[in-house]
Amino acid sequence: MGIDLSIASVSKKFGQFEALKGIDLDIEKGSFVCLLGPSGCGKTTLLRIIAGFEKASAGQLLLGGNDISRLPPHKRDFGMVFQSLALFPHMSVAENIAYGLKLRGLSKLKRDDRVAELLEVISLPAIADRPVSALSGGQRQRVAIARALAVQPRLFLLDEPLSALDAQLRDAMQIELRQLQQQFGVTTILVTHDQTEAMMLADKLVVMKEGEICQQGAPQDIYRQPANAFTAEFLGASNILDASASDQGQVQLSGVDTVFRTDAPAGTALKLSVRAESVVLDRAPHLSSGPLGEVEFIRNLGASTEILVRTGVSTVRVRLPSRDSILQDLRVGEQVALQFDAESCVVFRADAA
Amino acid sequence: MSRVGLMPEEGGGSYKLLVCLLAGIGIIIAAAPMAIIVIMSFSAAETSSFPPSEFSLRWYETALTLFSSDESSGSQAVGAALSSSLLVGLVVMVLSVAACIPLAYALVRGQRRLRQSMELLFTLPLVFPLVMLGIAFLLIAESLRWELGIWRLIIPHLALVMPFVLRNCMSAMQSISRETEEAAISLGASPLRAGLDIVVPLMKPGILAGLIFAFIISFNEFTITFFMYTIDQSTLPIWMYSRTVSSLDPSTLALSVFIILIDLVMIIAIDKIIAGRSSLF
């Protein structure tokens, strides 16, 4: 698998505002890349630069080794699915899907074949002649995807296309989208602010913040080893606790030494990230070495139950399976000790970006 | 606890009566002239006195003979006036829309400040006194060295019609999202092609309404045309005015009924196009 698209120190300024600050990113052929970040992080700007709708203020885009930075968008041969889907309201479903093929000069016969093939792929064979206004949300979604894939694009770009769907449908569409992408083997870049969506779809996850890439890599790796507090927080209900380095090179949590070691000089402010599901409660605090706290709030989420434990400096979120025996008579106000699963804790400097 | 009525009808009761009364007066003022013209056009009398004592179709016959006769009694014949009215209307209609489609596109997609100032600029002919516009256009036309022909009527009409056409095209343009256009471009359409394939079809209701507005305004225009017309280049309203200025000729009333009918059909068409399903007719 070679590199398909290479983004080299691309930056973008809107007047004084720096939307992108020197982005470097390599995208492998056939891979599914998710650009993940909160709104205003520059992810959509980056996608629009890739598509050609915005011009980068500096930097290069190399597609298969060729510089495409100056190529106008209609000559890039990419397929794009927009946030609003942007189906052509005055055309039928078939005409929508065939539009790109028509521009490429395909005969009516070949166009019809390809449209039928794609409608089969998106499992909506019977809607070819319907106007797009008569489609449901999920159907529109599929038609927009089919329209972009019909032209066999070099790159498949998606700008938060699933954000308008309700949760259940979005879930189903995520699975479908991933299957389609693998079936077509097309290099895909998707922009989203939904971490579950990104986790489930991506081969490579790119976390962005304020115009910069915070971290990139396989989703599981980023999930397990976030490089900084921002990534850790963005990728799920993590606890980010203030810690510090002790003289002996150990990580201290509210004054208590932990098993974690650090090479940071004594007194450095650190952060310890631990997932809610990696914390264990101990109801005999006097026997435990972990930090103490008081149960502040309990809520049952069905399969799991969330408990907020107030320690001296912060509130720790704990998630236990609801059938855990400890939950049977746990009361608000009770003293408990917290134990962290060392495997799933990550320590980083407080100023890490 | 007694309720305090917020609407006058809850307190008093004469509110509804007042509305009906005002609406009635409004309708009478607006419709009476047309009704009188229609009634008078069926008069059998030689003179135009209201109400007519007898009814006939004789003035419609006279109106028809006006078209067939070749008499050029100083002024232009009615046939020539009608055909130049139609010609001016059609040219104004086509040119104004052809100019307003790209203009509306540029203004809606362009910078906001530019859009606001341009909109104001194009609205000026609406608020400017027509008599002054007429004088201004006459001054310009007379100071030019070459013969303008029919264009001495078309150009002022264009200025008058543009605000309406532009407004219609812009409001249609505003509902077209940039993404729809970009979708076409991402599929391989050049920006021009995307404009023709996507923007123009989606602007269609605004364009059609603009076409009809342009025609109606141009066809009915009198004030500016009164300054601009020549013996060779005149319009139907001017002909009718010159025909009735000395003595009221009921055959012009018969012609007016035709014009009212044409306008009515066009207004219904506008209503259908703009309002769609919620149209009045």
Side-chain angles (χ1 to χ4, degrees):
Chain A
M1 289 272 179
I3 301 296
D4 205 2
L5 178 74
S6 182
I7 300 165
S9 46
V10 162
S11 58
K12 175 72 183 174
K13 277 187 187 171
F14 293 108
Q16 287 298 306
F17 175 67
E18 264 190 293
L20 292 174
K21 305 166 186 168
I23 299 289
D24 286 297
L25 183 64
D26 286 333
I27 290 165
E28 275 178 31
K29 212 174 180 61
S31 67
F32 198 127
V33 175
C34 282
L35 305 179
L36 175 68
S39 62
C41 73
K43 55 190 194 301
T44 299
T45 307
L46 183 58
L47 192 78
R48 289 179 60 82
I49 287 176
I50 295 171
F53 294 124
E54 301 279 355
K55 278 212 161 56
S57 309
Q60 271 193 323
L61 292 175
L62 298 171
L63 184 71
N66 303 317
D67 185 2
I68 58 160
S69 316
R70 301 265 165 268
L71 204 62
H74 63 278
K75 291 186 178 152
R76 295 198 178 187
D77 215 8
F78 297 167
M80 184 152 175
V81 179
F82 293 82
Q83 188 164 16
S84 67
L85 301 183
L87 294 175
F88 306 135
H90 58 301
M91 297 184 190
S92 72
V93 169
E95 284 168 331
N96 262 279
I97 298 176
Y99 184 71
L101 304 170
K102 200 167 142 194
L103 291 172
R104 279 162 180 72
L106 258 70
S107 68
K108 176 96 177 74
L109 209 66
K110 279 187 181 162
R111 292 205 299 261
D112 289 348
D113 279 355
R114 181 80 178 143
V115 169
E117 188 186 327
L118 275 149
L119 286 172
E120 200 67 50
V121 168
I122 59 170
S123 35
L124 291 172
I127 63 160
D129 296 324
R130 270 193 232 169
V132 290
S133 56
L135 303 182
S136 71
Q139 288 173 331
R140 280 158 184 269
Q141 192 76 55
R142 293 197 184 99
V143 172
I145 292 171
R147 183 179 68 177
L149 287 175
V151 298
Q152 289 170 315
R154 281 285 275 114
L155 280 182
F156 185 32
L157 310 174
L158 302 112
D159 182 11
E160 305 207 29
L162 306 179
S163 59
L165 301 179
D166 59 71
Q168 221 173 351
L169 190 55
R170 185 161 63 220
D171 200 55
M173 279 308 300
Q174 282 166 1
I175 297 171
E176 213 166 296
L177 184 60
R178 181 64 173 155
Q179 286 171 336
L180 274 176
Q181 190 266 341
Q182 281 168 342
Q183 188 181 337
F184 281 76
V186 59
T187 312
T188 303
I189 305 172
L190 178 133
V191 158
T192 182
H193 63 265
D194 179 345
Q195 56 99 6
T196 7
E197 184 171 301
M199 286 290 298
M200 114 127 241
L201 288 171
D203 294 316
K204 181 180 195 169
L205 195 58
V206 178
V207 183
M208 293 182 66
K209 179 197 176 192
E210 291 169 9
E212 285 171 310
I213 294 179
C214 281
Q215 193 175 0
Q216 50 175 300
Q220 305 81 348
D221 294 346
I222 297 185
Y223 188 78
R224 253 184 257 127
Q225 283 287 327
N228 47 45
F230 176 79
T231 311
E233 210 169 342
F234 205 76
L235 281 189
S238 239
N239 294 298
I240 314 277
L241 306 174
D242 289 322
S244 59
S246 75
D247 302 335
Q248 289 79 37
Q250 269 179 313
V251 177
Q252 280 191 330
L253 201 59
S254 45
V256 183
D257 279 344
T258 62
V259 296
F260 304 111
R261 301 201 61 83
T262 175
D263 46 9
T268 312
L270 299 174
K271 297 269 185 194
L272 186 138
S273 139
V274 59
R275 302 203 154 268
E277 60 269 27
S278 308
V279 186
V280 179
L281 293 183
D282 191 340
R283 302 188 73 182
H286 50 283
L287 298 175
S288 172
S289 58
L292 300 179
E294 186 187 310
V295 175
E296 196 176 59
F297 188 74
I298 303 173
R299 60 170 179 173
N300 193 321
L301 301 173
S304 62
T305 297
E306 224 171 56
I307 303 124
L308 299 185
V309 179
R310 172 132 206 99
T311 68
V313 284
S314 53
T315 301
V316 179
R317 195 180 288 259
V318 183
R319 189 175 296 143
L320 298 172
S322 287
R323 51 187 157 73
D324 195 314
S325 58
I326 194 172
L327 287 171
Q328 279 180 359
D329 54 351
L330 191 68
R331 293 284 169 268
V332 171
E334 201 169 321
Q335 288 286 321
V336 288
L338 298 165
Q339 284 183 336
F340 300 158
D341 175 14
E343 291 277 291
S344 61
C345 287
V346 183
V347 176
F348 34 74
R349 290 185 179 220
D351 55 4
Chain B
M1 199 178 85
S2 68
R3 267 180 81 221
V4 177
L6 289 176
M7 295 290 284
E9 61 182 331
E10 286 179 34
S14 56
Y15 179 65
K16 212 169 192 173
L17 197 69
L18 183 70
V19 168
C20 289
L21 190 69
L22 288 175
I25 293 172
I27 289 169
I28 287 170
I29 290 174
M34 279 190 277
I36 288 173
I37 282 180
V38 174
I39 295 168
M40 288 291 287
S41 70
F42 291 103
S43 163
E46 201 61 48
T47 54
S48 316
S49 56
F50 190 80
S53 45
E54 274 177 277
F55 292 96
S56 79
L57 287 174
R58 58 180 288 202
W59 298 115
Y60 284 87
E61 285 164 31
T62 322
L64 281 176
T65 57
L66 282 174
F67 283 98
S68 47
S69 70
D70 292 325
E71 50 132 6
S72 46
S73 54
S75 70
Q76 210 183 8
V78 64
L82 177 65
S83 61
S84 62
S85 253
L86 288 174
L87 178 66
V88 169
L90 287 172
V91 173
V92 164
M93 177 167 111
V94 171
L95 284 186
S96 62
V97 168
C100 284
I101 292 171
L103 199 57
Y105 179 86
L107 291 181
V108 170
R109 287 284 187 262
Q111 285 170 356
R112 195 181 191 172
R113 193 178 293 174
L114 180 76
R115 174 166 80 230
Q116 283 165 346
S117 50
M118 291 295 274
E119 252 189 290
L120 193 67
L121 190 68
F122 279 101
T123 318
L124 275 183
L126 278 184
V127 294
F128 216 69
L130 288 177
V131 175
M132 286 201 217
L133 270 182
I135 295 170
F137 274 114
L138 184 62
L139 283 174
I140 296 171
E142 292 310 314
S143 64
L144 291 175
R145 278 159 200 280
W146 61 87
E147 194 49 53
L148 285 171
I150 192 84
W151 292 93
R152 62 183 289 133
L153 301 180
I154 292 174
I155 293 168
H157 281 206
L158 270 177
L160 204 61
V161 148
M162 286 285 263
F164 295 96
V165 181
L166 187 65
R167 189 133 301 190
N168 275 295
C169 288
M170 278 178 75
S171 66
M173 183 66 213
Q174 255 144 6
S175 64
I176 305 171
S177 84
R178 196 184 283 259
E179 284 196 344
T180 314
E181 228 180 305
E182 285 176 346
I185 293 174
S186 78
L187 289 168
S190 66
L192 181 67
R193 182 80 197 258
L196 294 177
D197 283 356
I198 308 301
V199 177
V200 172
L202 291 180
M203 265 174 94
K204 209 167 87 187
I207 293 173
L208 288 177
L211 284 170
I212 295 173
F213 262 122
F215 186 81
I216 290 183
I217 293 168
S218 166
F219 195 74
N220 294 347
E221 211 295 318
F222 177 78
T223 316
I224 298 180
T225 318
F226 188 68
F227 286 90
M228 300 302 288
Y229 81 94
T230 61
I231 303 230
D232 302 321
Q233 314 295 346
S234 184
T235 62
L236 196 56
I238 299 290
W239 181 88
M240 287 168 66
Y241 174 75
S242 56
R243 180 94 182 177
T244 45
V245 72
S246 45
S247 68
L248 196 55
D249 175 359
S251 63
T252 55
L253 298 179
L255 274 177
S256 309
V257 173
F258 279 123
I259 295 176
I260 292 172
L261 282 178
I262 291 174
D263 285 346
L264 196 65
V265 168
M266 293 219 154
I267 288 166
I268 292 173
I270 293 180
D271 181 64
K272 285 262 183 241
I273 290 163
I274 296 181
R277 264 178 220 172
S278 59
S279 65
L280 278 171
F281 301 100

